[in-house]
Amino acid sequence: MSKYKTKRRLLLIGRILILAFFLFIVCLPIYWMLITSLKTTADINTLDIQYWPANPTFQNYENVLQQSNFIYYLKNSVVVSVVTGIIVLFVAITGGYGLSRYKYRGKGVTMLGFLVTQMIPMTLILVPMFLIFHSVNLGDTLTSLIILYVVINVPFCVITMQGFFANIPIAVEEAASIDGCSKFQVITKIVLPIMLPGIIAVFVFAFIGAWNDLLGGVMFINSELNKTLPVGLSSYVGQFSINWGEMCAGGMLALIPSALLFVMVQKYIVEGMTSGAVKG
Amino acid sequence: MKKKLLSIGLVAALLVSAFAAGCGKKNTDGDDKKTDGKVKEIRFMDVTPNPAREQAFQELIKDFNDKNPDVKVVYESTPWDQSHNKLVTLGSAGSLPDVFIMHQQWNAEFTSAEWVTPLDDYIADWKDADKIIPYVKNVLMEYDQKNVYGYTFGIPDGLTTAAMFVRTDWLEEAGLTTEDLETWEGIFEASKKLTIPEKNQYGFAFRGARMGSEQMGMYMLAELGGKLYEEDGTCRINSPEGIEAFKKYCALYKDGYAPQDAINWGYTEMVQGFTSGLSGILNQTSEVVATCEDSMEDGTWTTIPFPRASDGNIYSKADSYYMAMSNQSKNKDEAWRFIEFMLEPENNRKLSEACLFIPVMEGAENDPRFTEGGMKGFVDSMNDPTFIREPFYGYFPELGEFMETFYDAEVQKYLLGQQTAEESIKNISDYLTTAQQKYMQESPDTPIPTSVRTDGSEVK
Amino acid sequence: MNKKKKLEPHIFMTPSYLILLVFLGYPLLNCIRLAFSNYKITQLNNVTFAGFDNFLKIFQDKEIAMISLNTFKFVIFTLALQLVLGFILAMALKRPFRGRGIYQGIVFLPWAFSGFIVGLTFQWLFNAEYGPINDILLKFGLISEKISFLGSPKYALWTVIIALAWQGIPFFGIMILAALQSVDAGLVEAAVIDGANAFQRFWHVTIPCIKPTLIVTIMLRTIWIFNNADIIYIMTNGGPANTSHTLASYMFTKAYSTLDFGYASALGVLFMVGMIIYVCAFVKVTKYNQEDA
């Protein structure tokens, strides 16, 4: 019995160590950005490395919030990322289901086709899309960005979703069909709840994909008030100098929505099986 | 039946998503974009924005819009790193802004793609045309544009040149004065004396990456008398003088007068190296004055004119961004009015002050904003009677590839000891010779890149 | 009925087909067309058929051997770091503990940074003069003199690998965690009753259950890492002396510096062919298709 106890204690310590290790490597760069955002320009540009700001200041945050269109950037990014996430999710669920549950001719080719699109040089996608958007009067709009991000993220997400569907034994569905459920009911009532962690993960994937993109934002958006966060933040990187203080302050502020998202969704990702809908 | 429902559901969802996307559009279109038929909209794009510069532009644009009720200029900007990409995309999509800021590096591309409008007719009727200072008129407009491409497409809006930023307190400690740094020889000597590794203090802010080779090239070309090519297009750097100059400059890094990390330094790192007190001498342009003022103590630094080569001349460069008008613009006359307005001497001084440029219009010679403090070293360089503008590496299409992927790598291989100076120089020289000779066959009318004096005369 | 059954998968696939056909079909065909043309964006009135010239140009580059090796290292090590650490993270997060919600919120944060911010920050962290990593190592006596991580051919590529791995661990973490949660608890219980130990349960129950996700994630991630040139461009610009360039960063820098879209397209086509071979081999080796249907 005591042997069992020691083993458990060892496991616990191991787990704590692992968790601490991840916290450390994740936090080191973020901590660096955080303290940079609280430093004055002179304290940033010094060889005397400060691990805590010598003259802590919120000036950078004030500048970001007051002198730039940060609030607009934030709003645009949230709108674009959420809408992208929802649309991609819908396409990925249908596509992923179709790919994982049916055998039909051309399936392998379809999947390969999805993957091949990932190798087209980005510029070759951007230019024709740019032309299309201009001809239908969508130039310089958030809509154009949403469409771009949906297009870019769909192949990844469909295939990922297909992987999640494939994790679930087909027997689950068959059992439900025998019980008299329609296909639609099987999917919405049985399969999707089990899939919830995967669904959330794919949503997060598409959301983050849209949230982080710089190139599309730079190319498709012209007016100041339509810019997204990465585009706004990249303007702190000048030709001759980087405005580290304000860039880090903006970066920290931009983290808040994603951090909230992660905290919100983590519950669903880890609690997928509790619904008890499945019995093998 | 169920399947029908499902497919209806699919269609509905698609519609909803399309609608949601449509809503996004409505929100963003803004209210003041409405043009009631008479007001013509001019899009203006800046490609190297910073807060001070943006503010100056916004104020001038507001002023212009107030004075010209029939035109509405809209300000747009793109971060420098992405601006080339963005303009190329806009250009190939046929939707360039009416007026944009352009870098002279893009001359060849933008003219051969016919994205810029010839401005000579406009210039002929321009009331302020005679107020442009000689260097800008003779070199940047006549020599660099008309002489090479046959027409003028860009109006310079603010001049920037190179000078040396130096730490005066370090010089004092080492028993040197700024006069000792008048020549390249003096710069090399001083770099040695200023280097104190124990104090983590290095003489020279060496730039080894991101077109750092261009800075090395400035010295190498100076020692070649500013002559890069022979008449037949053979590159002249693969010569004893060229190799010696190359070795001498690279010794700044190889002998330890710059930190080892400097091989990866670009613009921002070398500036940071100087402002943070790591390096004592920095070869930079006037925009950096603001950064130094922000993060260094007054009295610890100054700027001095660009050093002289062994023949006594100052071989340097002085460029400007151009205001260019898109060939795709539908309102060219209005666009020109805006350019004209921006270059009214007073407005040009306003912009130049915000960006730390030397104004391109006469009338700033006695203005202390541009002749004192950090700007002095730059103005003095430009005003020196021996000032010679070095040649471009070429007008051939491979130039971008050469500058961005070839030049630095070859120099870095020598800095790392992976190949000898002779090998590096030979590779660089061969590349340039091949590209230049090929280009001369295809475009025999384009002149060979040559050094020019302020009055526009070539250095033969 | 039979006919309907046949149509069923296609109904599900319609949205994805539509999106891809409308927006990626043309670029794909165009890419293949341009790969065989002399197509420079600045010389549009002079577009000619180029045959295999663009492809030849790729293989004639004298740096290609070193850069291919770099690419191999870059992809393998970034992927391995992300996969192994992401897997460990997911396992550690699987069972609840107090504060797990907050912990997860923090640990997944690296994923929420734009690539250029990650690149710039790591460039600074690894800087030999102002960077805290050198400073910390020196202070703890782990090194005796400053290491120029970004300025040395030995380390430059590794700094990029570390930065990209840092950003990508949460992605693997989330994907694997999500997959782990859909492993049927009943199967695990059954294995316990059968007397399987922890390792056996892991190897024979957990792994097979999440295999589809694992395979798909690895496959997609490989492609993504291979294509990721931004972080290299920002941190080292391929230097010193091209030692931290990969095929994607080197070739595309070259193509775009001369606006040679023909060359860029040829690269795209070449990468596509390479990727098709990779995916086919990968699917065969992992027996992916045989498991799922």
Side-chain angles (χ1 to χ4, degrees), chain B residues 154-176:
Chain B
I155 312 288
D157 68 349
L159 202 53
T160 174
T161 183
M164 290 289 175
F165 289 75
V166 291
R167 283 290 295 263
T168 43
D169 49 343
W170 291 15
L171 287 184
E172 214 167 294
E173 262 172 54
L176 295 166

Side-chain angles (χ1 to χ4, degrees), chain B residues 50-67:
Chain B
N50 65 48
R53 191 174 152 96
E54 176 173 347
Q55 202 193 342
F57 271 129
Q58 295 276 24
E59 282 170 19
L60 288 168
I61 287 171
K62 187 170 178 299
D63 196 14
F64 176 83
N65 285 343
D66 288 347
K67 286 180 184 156

Side-chain angles (χ1 to χ4, degrees), chain B residues 23-330:
Chain B
C23 283
K25 185 189 183 221
K26 243 182 227 157
N27 288 338
T28 58
D29 253 357
D31 38 14
D32 48 13
K33 234 180 171 176
K34 265 179 259 152
T35 44
D36 43 6
K38 280 184 189 152
V39 179
K40 288 184 174 157
E41 192 182 281
I42 298 289
R43 285 167 57 215
F44 166 70
M45 185 182 287
D46 186 19
V47 298
T48 169
N50 65 48
R53 191 174 152 96
E54 176 173 347
Q55 202 193 342
F57 271 129
Q58 295 276 24
E59 282 170 19
L60 288 168
I61 287 171
K62 187 170 178 299
D63 196 14
F64 176 83
N65 285 343
D66 288 347
K67 286 180 184 156
N68 295 273
D70 59 327
V71 186
K72 184 176 184 311
V73 175
V74 181
Y75 173 87
E76 297 171 1
S77 71
T78 306
W80 169 250
D81 269 355
Q82 282 86 31
S83 56
H84 182 236
N85 255 337
K86 168 115 189 184
L87 282 175
V88 167
T89 309
L90 289 173
S92 41
S95 61
L96 280 170
D98 302 84
V99 179
F100 56 93
I101 301 290
M102 174 180 163
H103 195 275
Q104 56 81 7
Q105 236 167 288
W106 309 333
N107 287 1
E109 282 168 12
F110 283 37
T111 48
S112 69
E114 293 176 7
W115 288 336
V116 283
T117 307
L119 297 175
D120 300 276
D121 291 347
Y122 292 105
I123 295 172
D125 296 335
W126 182 13
K127 64 178 180 1
D128 290 329
D130 54 337
K131 295 194 185 118
I132 309 172
I133 60 172
Y135 176 84
V136 172
K137 194 184 186 76
N138 299 333
V139 179
L140 297 185
M141 290 168 75
E142 285 288 327
Y143 188 83
D144 287 353
Q145 299 184 42
K146 220 170 172 173
N147 188 29
V148 177
Y149 303 101
Y151 57 93
T152 317
F153 46 84
I155 312 288
D157 68 349
L159 202 53
T160 174
T161 183
M164 290 289 175
F165 289 75
V166 291
R167 283 290 295 263
T168 43
D169 49 343
W170 291 15
L171 287 184
E172 214 167 294
E173 262 172 54
L176 295 166
T177 64
T178 49
E179 276 146 38
D180 297 318
L181 275 65
E182 267 178 14
T183 60
W184 272 110
E185 214 50 55
I187 295 279
F188 293 135
E189 278 303 309
S191 300
K192 249 177 242 179
K193 287 189 185 150
L194 293 180
T195 302
I196 311 170
E198 311 82 68
K199 278 172 72 181
N200 206 19
Q201 177 177 318
Y202 295 90
F204 195 78
F206 190 93
R207 176 160 152 217
R210 290 163 220 267
M211 297 195 215
S213 318
E214 224 186 337
Q215 296 211 327
M216 182 282 298
M218 281 174 83
Y219 171 68
M220 190 165 61
L221 280 170
E223 291 305 326
L224 290 168
K227 281 173 237 148
L228 178 58
Y229 294 109
E230 304 284 0
E231 287 299 308
D232 66 349
T234 311
C235 183
R236 295 182 67 236
I237 63 168
N238 195 3
S239 59
E241 306 86 59
I243 291 169
E244 197 201 319
F246 178 65
K247 281 183 178 164
K248 206 162 190 173
Y249 188 90
C250 290
L252 285 171
Y253 178 83
K254 291 187 74 123
D255 293 351
Y257 308 131
Q260 206 193 345
D261 226 28
I263 197 168
N264 184 46
W265 283 8
Y267 260 123
T268 53
E269 291 89 354
M270 69 189 291
V271 172
Q272 208 178 1
F274 182 73
T275 55
S276 67
L278 186 67
S279 333
I281 305 172
L282 169 77
N283 168 8
Q284 263 300 356
T285 49
S286 49
E287 290 97 324
V288 177
V289 168
T291 320
C292 292
E293 279 171 351
D294 276 355
S295 44
M296 296 173 78
E297 276 173 51
D298 286 348
T300 59
W301 63 280
T302 190
T303 59
I304 55 169
F306 205 68
R308 291 172 196 283
S310 31
D311 65 4
N313 293 330
I314 294 183
Y315 292 93
S316 180
K317 52 177 189 177
D319 357 287
S320 166
Y321 289 99
Y322 298 150
M323 289 195 84
M325 191 200 293
S326 151
N327 221 355
Q328 297 154 355
S329 170
K330 289 191 188 77

Side-chain angles (χ1 to χ4, degrees), chain A residues 153-182:
Chain A
N153 285 301
V154 151
F156 263 52
C157 289
V158 168
I159 292 177
T160 307
M161 198 55 119
Q162 178 263 354
F164 280 117
F165 273 112
N167 290 347
I168 297 168
I170 202 152
V172 175
E173 270 180 62
E174 282 163 1
S177 303
I178 293 165
D179 292 349
C181 290
S182 70

Side-chain angles (χ1 to χ4, degrees), chain A residues 24-41:
Chain A
F24 176 74
I25 54 169
V26 162
C27 284
L28 190 76
I30 297 180
Y31 174 75
W32 187 250
M33 287 184 235
L34 177 69
I35 56 169
T36 303
S37 72
L38 297 170
K39 285 180 184 173
T40 59
T41 313

Side-chain angles (χ1 to χ4, degrees), chain C residues 229-283:
Chain C
D230 291 9
I231 205 154
I232 296 177
Y233 177 73
I234 289 168
M235 284 180 72
T236 65
N237 203 11
N242 292 336
T243 48
S244 62
H245 258 315
T246 64
L247 283 171
S249 70
Y250 178 72
M251 296 290 180
F252 283 117
T253 309
K254 238 175 120 170
Y256 293 136
S257 63
T258 43
L259 297 180
D260 191 340
F261 280 27
Y263 184 73
S265 304
L267 281 170
V269 169
L270 205 66
F271 291 170
M272 279 178 215
V273 173
M275 194 219 52
I276 290 171
I277 295 171
Y278 162 77
V279 169
C280 291
F282 193 82
V283 164

Side-chain angles (χ1 to χ4, degrees), chain A residues 15 19 22 25 51 94-95 102-103 114 118 123-124 160 162 167 205 208 212 262 266 269-270 273 280, chain C residues 8 12 20 85 92 95 100-101 103-104 108 111 113-114 135 166 171 181 209 212-213 227 256 265 288:
Chain A
R15 194 152 164 246
L19 291 171
F22 277 105
I25 54 169
Y51 293 94
T94 52
Y102 297 95
K103 268 193 164 171
F114 279 28
Q118 301 299 307
T123 319
L124 293 187
T160 307
Q162 178 263 354
N167 290 347
F205 180 86
I208 292 292
N212 283 346
F262 287 150
Q266 61 88 24
I269 291 186
V270 295
M273 281 303 280
Chain C
E8 229 176 68
F12 282 107
L20 294 182
L85 293 176
R95 268 182 301 162
R100 181 169 69 169
Y103 182 87
Q104 269 189 41
F108 290 157
W111 195 19
F113 282 102
S114 280
D135 193 56
W166 182 81
F171 172 79
Q181 299 305 332
C209 279
T213 303
N227 264 337
Y256 293 136
S265 304
Y288 180 60

